[in-house]
Amino acid sequence: MIIRKTLLLLALGLTFGMQVTSQNSRTNEDGRRLNKSEMETKDYMPEIHGTIRGKFEYQPQISASRFEVRNARFSLTGNVHPMVAYKAEIDLSDEGSIKMLDAYTRIFPVEDMNFTIGQMRVPFTIDAHRSPHQQYFANRSFIAKQVGNVRDVGATAGYTFRPGFPLTLEAGVFNGSGLTNQKEWQEDFNYTIKGQFLFT
């Protein structure tokens, strides 16, 4: 009986997520370079994205249960120039806490290269960078949640090699003091590099 209840609740948790996007399939969730030859005035209109995920949990050892709003994210992305994009994202209920997640500007000096400065997720792991509405399960993997779920203030540079060799490299330098201690003067910075090979 307990196993049947747990499986039912797990299935409910997996299907409770919902994504809301204001635009069509041309989404710009993280900020992208615009193609000058295909540009229209509407390309400068901000895009609004959102994800709401609720969950219900049951703990058989103590015969107790609870409801939670796992995510209530709202983000605004767009371009002020074909080569300059921005993103601001807030989570209004990360298990009851309000958190400012992303606030950055991204510049694309040449095709396949970008520079980003501001508050963002540190380039480390793939799972942690996947948005909640793209996850297959109610929560991230344990490794992504405990190790890769790090946001900080700093700058990154990324480059994608193509065609024929779909490798993306991203390197960054960050304060290392988290999101709430941005005014501290740093004698040392944190450095990171990430490589991602996409099989096509």
Side-chain angles (χ1 to χ4, degrees):
M1 183 67 177
I2 292 177
I3 294 175
R4 195 180 325 165
K5 272 187 181 179
T6 304
L7 290 176
L8 175 63
L9 296 175
L10 178 62
L12 286 173
L14 292 175
T15 58
F16 222 81
M18 174 176 72
Q19 179 197 11
V20 179
T21 304
S22 67
Q23 303 293 325
N24 54 18
S25 60
R26 294 183 62 196
T27 58
N28 180 18
E29 285 190 59
D30 294 317
R32 63 178 168 83
R33 178 188 173 105
L34 295 180
N35 188 340
K36 289 183 180 180
S37 62
E38 300 174 357
M39 278 193 57
E40 301 176 19
T41 306
K42 65 179 182 181
D43 286 326
Y44 287 109
M45 292 294 293
E47 291 186 8
I48 299 172
H49 306 272
T51 301
I52 299 175
R53 292 195 307 148
K55 67 180 180 179
F56 176 79
E57 297 177 315
Y58 176 74
Q59 176 58 268
Q61 283 82 6
I62 59 174
S63 298
S65 55
R66 65 186 178 188
F67 288 96
E68 283 185 0
V69 176
R70 180 64 187 88
N71 298 108
R73 294 192 180 189
F74 172 83
S75 67
L76 191 69
T77 61
N79 288 71
V80 294
H81 184 274
M83 295 186 297
V84 181
Y86 60 87
K87 179 180 181 181
E89 182 174 15
I90 189 171
D91 198 328
L92 299 173
S93 183
D94 183 353
E95 296 181 330
S97 300
I98 297 176
K99 296 180 180 177
M100 185 68 193
L101 302 177
D102 294 322
Y104 61 74
T105 300
R106 181 164 286 164
I107 301 170
F108 304 86
V110 295
E111 191 173 2
D112 298 328
M113 176 177 278
N114 67 76
F115 293 99
T116 308
I117 186 166
Q119 177 174 308
M120 70 199 90
R121 193 181 291 281
V122 173
F124 183 76
T125 79
I126 297 172
D127 190 13
H129 285 254
R130 191 176 290 124
S131 295
H133 66 272
Q134 297 172 324
Q135 294 174 25
Y136 302 113
F137 298 98
N139 288 310
R140 300 184 189 278
S141 67
F142 178 80
I143 294 295
K145 190 173 181 179
Q146 300 300 323
V147 180
N149 190 23
V150 179
R151 277 186 164 86
D152 208 335
V153 182
T156 65
Y159 187 79
T160 301
F161 298 87
R162 52 172 120 223
F165 191 65
L167 175 66
T168 298
L169 292 177
E170 188 175 8
V173 55
F174 295 89
N175 283 342
S177 55
L179 303 180
T180 58
N181 298 315
Q182 298 183 24
K183 296 187 75 173
E184 288 186 9
W185 295 102
Q186 307 296 326
E187 295 181 0
D188 296 303
F189 290 104
N190 282 0
Y191 302 91
T192 180
I193 187 167
K194 173 180 148 184
Q196 184 176 354
F197 188 83
L198 302 174
F199 294 94
T200 56

